[in-house]
Amino acid sequence: MGRVGDLIEGLREGLHDPKAPLLHVAIDTGEPSVEHPGPVVVMVHGIASSAATFHFVVPLVEPQQRVIAIELLGFGGSPQPEGAEYTLEEHVAALARTIRSLHLAEPFVLVGHSLGCLIGARYAATHLEHVSKLVLVSPPVYLSPAEIGDPRVRLRMAGYLQAYQFFRANKDFTIARAAVVSKLLPVEHVMEITEQNWTPFVKSLEHCIESQTVISDLARVERPIEVVYGRLDEFLVPGNLAIIERMRGVTTHVVAASDHMIRKPMARVVAAAIASPPTPPAD
């Protein structure tokens, strides 16, 4: 997109949400060059996390491609605007403004993990011209139990929603439990639920994860979609994920003995999915 196109796009998004804040760009490995010949890769982490999510992925991708990791509204080093409700629209508007500020010359590979998958799917659906490929890692695909026919899937989905409602209603328990789990993880700042980010956490959980539109958003993404998840992912509902796996243009990669977090084995699969040529889906 040329300068005129950038100006028009900036005006369009500015009019859409002039109050969207700039997010923290935690990682930017530099301008494309001989050392970074591939398309730019933009990474977006999940709820209660930070750019540390991609600790094991960045070193595998950076030798060939410029890597940019952006921290979501309310998390990591990004702002927590007064009055923010942390809706999907607010997350996407902030992401869009931040990406626009980077003045990327060509379409990029967009990588989302967990909540970042939901935000990335909506961004790709509404900014398709900017995205060459979408990589979804550990996507939490949740439907309303009323929309699910299979009683086993419906029961599992209801269980997740009840658990999330419990977490939101029991702040002290949730923060204490998260602190214990965080100490067991191999990378710092991968999961942090604290007094500081409690409001972004509970509102993002309620407004983006518990109530989501990822399936309808992905149906609008006419770009290759790579889905990577661990067979032991504790936040996965296989019956719901199967809906995405059957979509046109979707390629699935299952990592055995991996959970929700991007550990080294999953990082290698994610890096391969990022590097694969973004061939458009067949007609």
Side-chain angles (χ1 to χ4, degrees):
M1 185 179 293
R3 293 182 180 274
V4 174
D6 285 338
L7 177 60
I8 294 173
E9 179 69 11
L11 290 172
R12 181 178 69 81
E13 292 184 2
L15 290 172
H16 176 68
D17 191 346
K19 297 181 181 180
L22 283 172
L23 303 177
H24 179 229
V25 178
I27 299 171
D28 188 344
T29 60
E31 294 295 329
S33 64
V34 175
E35 290 76 23
H36 301 87
V40 173
V41 180
V42 176
M43 298 180 174
V44 184
H45 64 81
I47 194 168
S49 190
S50 70
T53 291
F54 303 104
H55 175 81
F56 295 118
V57 180
V58 173
L60 302 177
V61 179
E62 187 272 337
Q64 291 297 319
Q65 296 172 260
R66 178 186 178 186
V67 177
I68 299 169
I70 299 173
E71 296 187 320
L72 294 178
L73 189 68
F75 299 104
S78 286
Q80 298 182 6
E82 184 176 356
E85 289 298 317
Y86 299 94
T87 62
L88 189 62
E89 290 74 18
E90 287 176 309
H91 278 296
V92 172
L95 179 64
R97 185 186 174 200
T98 304
I99 290 175
R100 189 172 69 248
S101 74
L102 296 170
H103 304 292
L104 303 179
E106 301 291 340
F108 54 84
V109 177
L110 180 58
V111 182
H113 176 258
S114 194
L115 171 61
C117 295
L118 312 183
I119 296 169
R122 174 65 64 84
Y123 177 89
T126 54
H127 300 76
L128 190 61
E129 67 276 16
H130 298 320
V131 178
S132 62
K133 179 168 60 175
L134 184 61
V135 180
L136 307 178
V137 186
S138 306
V141 182
Y142 298 154
L143 301 176
S144 167
E147 299 177 280
I148 301 172
D150 189 322
R152 294 170 299 178
V153 178
R154 184 166 61 246
L155 183 63
R156 186 167 183 174
M157 187 66 260
Y160 276 117
L161 295 179
Q162 289 172 2
Y164 295 151
Q165 291 165 8
F166 176 85
F167 293 153
R168 289 194 284 108
N170 294 273
K171 178 179 179 180
D172 292 342
F173 170 85
T174 302
I175 290 177
R177 180 62 179 170
V180 172
V181 173
S182 181
K183 291 179 180 179
L184 301 176
L185 298 177
V187 180
E188 291 185 340
H189 311 303
V190 167
M191 190 187 76
E192 293 182 318
I193 304 175
T194 64
E195 288 282 351
Q196 181 180 358
N197 70 8
W198 177 254
T199 296
F201 167 71
V202 296
K203 291 190 173 182
S204 295
L205 183 60
E206 180 179 10
H207 297 157
C208 299
I209 294 180
E210 294 178 49
S211 176
Q212 59 176 260
T213 57
V214 66
I215 292 176
S216 59
D217 288 335
L218 289 176
R220 299 164 57 193
V221 178
E222 297 179 353
R223 294 290 186 272
I225 300 171
E226 306 269 351
V227 176
V228 181
Y229 66 88
R231 194 173 298 279
L232 304 180
D233 191 332
E234 58 273 38
F235 299 104
L236 196 111
V237 181
N240 292 349
L241 188 59
I243 299 173
I244 289 179
E245 292 179 308
R246 291 193 294 266
M247 284 184 170
R248 176 174 172 268
V250 172
T251 302
T252 302
H253 311 270
V254 184
V255 186
S258 289
D259 57 10
H260 194 69
M261 181 182 173
I262 306 178
R263 304 174 192 270
K264 288 183 178 180
M266 183 180 284
R268 291 191 289 269
V269 179
V270 172
I274 291 170
S276 65
T279 305
D283 293 331

